[in-house]
Every structure is written in structure tokens, then in C-alpha cells.
């Protein structure tokens, strides 16, 4: 993200580019800048618009449109085949590629994003080549609107996930554990302050430190406690039904004989 007036920059790396990840990054950017801009200009990507109507107006992705209404910004997209309308962000991406990434070493996405914030802090205090001023100083004149209270936009940091039979669910490529009794159920996963909270019916049933390395498995303490006593069953046992209790319709043998004649030559 690059602010239009101050040229303050925010950088975050992810291993996904879906709508949920995009919205999380956008919120993190606003939190970093300390407020919300009046307008958010983006590329014409499907995480933002699904197409255009007969009046050529954008058909917004409902999640993104909901975020805009909640945070109070006006969404806009770049004009088709007019790359100059997003020159600030394009030059910002080139700046990251040429100034931040070369020779960079990191353990995982968490480590990389920590280094990115340190780099942003440094670059936002340099004299900008276009404005001749420090972005951190001009940021005070951006007139950003205050973010609403976190409970207003917390839902955008949550996702529904189904717990597998092994008592694990997948979130951002990492598998997190919950008490085995919730296997097969749908839960809400919340990314909050470096923690992963898992809720069922509004109640937190598990909390984990956030991990960033894909395919990592994070178990919960006492995750399978009581499983042996339950005879290893994740789901209720099937209930046997005596055939003698079922009512079978009585038919004449002639009905079955007529069925056997169907299709014969």
C-alpha cells in the first residue's frame, strides 16, 4: 500500500491472494498508517470486482464492498489499459523488488514480514525522491479517518473452517488442533494479534501461536484427552435397526413377474 499524498508505504507478504487474505492485508495496512483513506484505488482484480454492469460501473465483490462500508472508504479501480493511473503503487512494487528483496534471508512469512515492517519504518523516514520530504512527516497531513473500533471489523479477520476427523483444521496452509470432540464440525478461525483463536458457537475452544510455515501441524495440549474412553470414536456410533421392526409392503407375486418381462424380446 502507498498513500497518495505522503507516499508512506506498507508492505506485507503472503502465500495466498484470495479475498480473505487481501482484506486482512488491507486492514493491517490501515492499522499501520493509523487511519483510513477517503478513497482506495486498486487494480481490476477479482478480489475487488467481479465484472462491470451495462452502465460500465464495477460489480463489487460483496466482501470488499462490505469492508468499504464498514471502514468508510470509497472504492475505485484503475481504468482499463491505463497503467499510469496506478503509477505510485507500481513504482512502489519495483522499489520493494529492487531495494528490499535482493539478498534477503528469512525463516518464514512471519520473519519476512517482521523484516518488511522494519524496512518500511526506515524508508518512511527517508527523503522521498518525488516530494522532497519525508513520508512520515507528510503522513500527518493525510487527514486519515480514524479506524472504527476493532469489534466493528473483526469479522473480516475471521474464516469458517471444518475440523477434520483427526481433530485438525487448515488455516493459511497450517494445520491447527482443537479438542477431538469438535471433529466434523464447522468452527470460526480468528487471526488476532499474532494468535490463532478457534471458536465454536461464539466460545473460544483453542488458542495457538500463529505459525507461518506451510504444512506445519500444531497440536493442542490434551487435544485427544478422553478419546480412548470414547472407544476412539470421533462420530456417534451407527445405530442398529432390527429388520423385524420395519414394515415391508406386501405385493402380489404377479407384480414381480411383470417386472421381469419388461425389456424382454
Amino acid at each position: 500500500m502507498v498513500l497518495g499524498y505522503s507516499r508512506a508505504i506498507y508492505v506485507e507478504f503472503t502465500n495466498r491472494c484470495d479475498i480473505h487474505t487481501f482484506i486482512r492485508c488491507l486492514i493491517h495496512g490501515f492499522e499501520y498508517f493509523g487511519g483510513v483513506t477517503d478513497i482506495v484505488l486498486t487494480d481490476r482484480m477479482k478480489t475487488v470486482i467481479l465484472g462491470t454492469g451495462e452502465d460500465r460501473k464495477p460489480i463489487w465483490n460483496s466482501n470488499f464492498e462490505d469492508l468499504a462500508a464498514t471502514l468508510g472508504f470509497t472504492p475505485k479501480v484503475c481504468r482499463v489499459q491505463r497503467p499510469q493511473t496506478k503509477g505510485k503503487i507500481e513504482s512502489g512494487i519495483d522499489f520493494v523488488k529492487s531495494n528490499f528483496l535482493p539478498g534477503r534471508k528469512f525463516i518464514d512469512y512471519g520473519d519476512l514480514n517482521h523484516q518488511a515492517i522494519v524496512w518500511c519504518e526506515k524508508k518512511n523516514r527517508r527523503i522521498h525522491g518525488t516530494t522532497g520530504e519525508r513520508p512520515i512527516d507528510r503522513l500527518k497531513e493525510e487527514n486519515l479517518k480514524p479506524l472504527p473500533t476493532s469489534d466493528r471489523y473483526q469479522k473480516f479477520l475471521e474464516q469458517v473452517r471444518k475440523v477434520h476427523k483427526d481433530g485438525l483444521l487448515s488455516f493459511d496452509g497450517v494445520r491447527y488442533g482443537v479438542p477431538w470432540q469438535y471433529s466434523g464440525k464447522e468452527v470460526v478461525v480468528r487471526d488476532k494479534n499474532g494468535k490463532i483463536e478457534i471458536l465454536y458457537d461464539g466460545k473460544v475452544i483453542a488458542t495457538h501461536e500463529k505459525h507461518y510455515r506451510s504444512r506445519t501441524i500444531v497440536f493442542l495440549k490434551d487435544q485427544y484427552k478422553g478419546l480412548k474412553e470414547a472407544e476412539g470414536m470421533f462420530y456417534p456410533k451407527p445405530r442398529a435397526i432390527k429388520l423385524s421392526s420395519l414394515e415391508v409392503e406386501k405385493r402380489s407375486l404377479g407384480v414381480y413377474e411383470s417386472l421381469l418381462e419388461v425389456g424382454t424380446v
Side-chain angles (χ1 to χ4, degrees):
M1 292 178 69
V2 179
L3 296 187
Y5 175 75
S6 65
R7 301 300 204 277
I9 189 172
Y10 171 77
V11 177
E12 183 172 346
F13 293 89
T14 74
N15 57 357
R16 282 172 172 73
C17 57
D18 57 27
I19 180 62
H20 301 292
T21 304
F22 172 65
I23 284 179
R24 280 208 311 271
C25 290
L26 202 58
I27 290 174
H28 293 162
F30 286 137
E31 290 176 335
Y32 175 78
F33 294 131
V36 182
T37 55
D38 289 326
I39 296 172
V40 172
L41 177 66
T42 72
D43 207 343
R44 305 178 70 88
M45 46 198 179
K46 290 184 178 179
T47 45
V48 173
I49 62 170
L50 305 179
T52 53
E54 295 181 358
D55 54 1
R56 295 187 179 181
K57 290 184 178 180
I59 301 173
W60 301 106
N61 183 306
S62 59
N63 289 311
F64 181 71
E65 189 175 29
D66 190 11
L67 177 73
T70 301
L71 298 187
F73 65 81
T74 300
K76 289 189 176 183
V77 290
C78 297
R79 295 174 62 182
V80 179
Q81 298 181 344
R82 290 291 299 274
Q84 59 268 34
T85 60
K86 54 176 180 174
K88 296 182 182 67
I89 191 62
E90 291 293 343
S91 60
I93 292 172
D94 290 339
F95 185 47
V96 172
K97 288 181 176 179
S98 62
N99 193 280
F100 173 74
L101 284 177
R104 182 73 53 177
K105 295 181 179 181
F106 56 94
I107 299 173
D108 53 31
Y109 279 99
D111 180 29
L112 180 60
N113 282 325
H114 174 73
Q115 293 184 44
I117 289 296
V118 173
W119 180 81
C120 286
E121 290 290 324
K122 180 180 178 181
K123 296 307 174 184
N124 286 333
R125 283 173 169 75
R126 81 193 192 285
I127 300 297
H128 194 276
T130 301
T131 66
E133 299 179 55
R134 300 194 312 167
I136 192 67
D137 296 329
R138 290 171 65 94
L139 180 60
K140 302 171 185 177
E141 303 173 22
E142 283 277 5
N143 295 321
L144 299 178
K145 294 178 291 189
L147 273 163
T149 55
S150 59
D151 60 297
R152 288 277 307 280
Y153 59 85
Q154 184 61 54
K155 65 178 181 180
F156 297 105
L157 303 176
E158 300 175 346
Q159 291 185 49
V160 175
R161 287 288 185 270
K162 185 172 182 178
V163 182
H164 299 291
K165 289 184 178 181
D166 55 7
L168 299 169
L169 59 86
S170 179
F171 181 74
D172 275 1
V174 178
R175 301 183 73 193
Y176 294 97
V178 302
W180 65 269
Q181 294 90 340
Y182 296 94
S183 298
K185 299 183 182 299
E186 287 191 342
V187 297
V188 172
V189 184
R190 182 161 62 195
D191 184 348
K192 186 176 181 180
N193 300 325
K195 302 279 187 181
I196 297 298
E197 293 183 345
I198 303 169
L199 302 87
Y200 182 77
D201 280 348
K203 177 184 176 183
V204 176
I205 60 173
T207 302
H208 298 277
E209 291 291 333
K210 185 174 181 178
H211 288 254
Y212 299 89
R213 190 183 295 274
S214 293
R215 299 182 181 179
T216 298
I217 298 178
V218 186
F219 290 103
L220 182 69
K221 183 180 180 181
D222 297 328
Q223 179 174 334
Y224 300 113
K225 185 177 181 180
L227 179 59
K228 184 177 181 181
E229 290 78 1
E231 301 180 0
M233 296 298 298
F234 284 104
Y235 299 103
K237 293 182 179 180
R239 183 168 59 90
I241 302 175
K242 291 183 180 180
L243 291 177
S244 59
S245 65
L246 297 177
E247 293 185 3
V248 180
E249 183 180 353
K250 295 181 180 180
R251 298 186 178 92
S252 168
L253 292 177
V255 173
Y256 299 101
E257 292 175 355
S258 63
L259 291 174
L260 290 174
E261 294 175 358
V262 175
T264 58
V265 179

